[in-house]
Every structure is written in C-alpha cells, then in structure tokens.
Amino acid sequence: MENCVEIRWHGRGGQGAKTAALLLADVAFKTGSFVQGFPEYVPERMGAPITAYNRISKNEIRVHSNIYHPDFVVVVDEGLLEAVDVTNGLSEDGAILINSAKPKEELIPHLRGYKGRVYTIDARKVSVACLGKYFPNTPMLAGIVKVSGVMDYIEFMNEMEASFNHKFSSKPEVIEGNMKALKMAFDEVK
C-alpha cells in the first residue's frame, strides 16, 4: 500500500505486545492518521508466542488482512529469534527492533540472512529504571516510533501523556514512570 507504514510485533503472551500495538494505533489516530492495530488470534496463554500488527497511513486503509511484508518488525522477546522467523517478509528497506542487552552483532546471525537495518534496545533496563518492574511494552513502543519515524516525537509524547492521564488518573506515579520510560527509550535505541 502506498504511503502506509506496516509494523509486525512479535512477543509472548503477557509481555504487552498486543497492548503496545493498540496504543500505537490509538496515538497515531489522535494525530490524524488512518490506523489499524490488531492481534493475530491464536490460543492465547501466558508465555506463548503472539503476533500483533499496525498499519498507519495518511490515506484511508482498505486492506484488512494480516501483514505479510512489513516495513518494520518489533521483537519484544529475543528468545523468539530461535522459535519464530521474525524476519519473514520483512523489507530490507525497513528495519527490525529487538529487545536485547546484547549488541546487534550477536543477534544478526539469528536473523536468517536478513540484510536490512537492525536496532536494539534493552527494554528491561529502561523498564526497571523507570517503573521498578519489567514491562517491556512501553520502551518497545517508544523504540519503534523512533526507528520508524511514523510520527513526530513531540506529538507522540503529548498523546501518550494524555492517554496515560486518562487510563491512570488515580495513579500519578504510573504516569510519571511510563513517561520517563518513553523518554529514556528514545535515547537507548542503538
């Protein structure tokens, strides 16, 4: 599709990949884009591999299918590199973002010959530093916005803050921690 960014998310049940994809769709919609954000439904259980998708465009989106040739891939759990072909159909003009403390040079041999751009972010480090617990979806969400350039940083941060204020209005510490995680994640993408 012309002028459309397609993103595929790979994670495990309970890591928030589906939530991050839906949040990205919500925030992009609020900035005036046409969007889709949806999971691929399979028997869901904690720890099982899951896939979620985003389409973001300035034009109306008329396609309603899974994404087979994404521009970007997000891997929330690096253990999936061995279990799932996360690069299947990935455009070499796009990029892959992997949650890992390892340098990308150690991950490239697990990408089945993928020759495009590879980025990493240590979402555990960001999450624990800002939230006190491991919630990888918030850092990964900021990371893919940075890598893909799908929206302006200031617009993204403003809309995320509004979303967190609505969702966590009685928990200001959650809002503050998540906003810190988003900001730190932008700096931590390598």
Side-chain angles (χ1 to χ4, degrees), residues 19-127:
T19 300
L22 296 177
L23 257 174
L24 180 57
D26 186 50
V27 170
F29 176 77
K30 289 177 181 173
T31 64
S33 293
F34 290 90
V35 300
Q36 292 178 352
F38 55 97
E40 181 175 0
Y41 285 103
V42 295
E44 291 188 35
R45 66 183 195 284
M46 192 70 115
I50 68 104
T51 309
Y53 305 92
N54 285 113
R55 283 191 180 94
I56 302 170
S57 178
K58 293 298 177 195
N59 302 319
E60 187 175 350
I61 300 170
R62 296 179 185 268
V63 175
H64 299 282
S65 67
N66 288 351
I67 295 172
Y68 301 103
H69 300 285
D71 301 297
F72 300 94
V73 166
V74 181
V75 181
V76 182
D77 184 327
E78 74 178 279
L80 291 172
L81 297 178
E82 300 302 324
V84 177
D85 184 2
V86 298
T87 60
N88 185 33
L90 176 58
S91 167
E92 291 192 0
D93 293 332
I96 185 168
L97 173 66
I98 305 167
N99 174 13
S100 180
K102 297 175 185 170
K104 71 178 184 178
E105 291 76 19
E106 287 185 35
L107 302 171
I108 289 173
H110 304 280
L111 298 180
R112 304 180 189 212
Y114 179 67
K115 303 282 188 233
R117 294 176 293 146
V118 178
Y119 295 88
T120 63
I121 182 170
D122 187 347
R124 179 179 300 279
K125 173 183 156 186
V126 173
S127 182

Side-chain angles (χ1 to χ4, degrees), residues 127-148:
S127 182
V128 171
C130 299
L131 301 167
K133 291 185 179 179
Y134 182 47
F135 298 106
N137 59 340
T138 298
M140 297 306 291
L141 175 58
I144 196 58
V145 168
K146 180 177 181 176
V147 168
S148 68

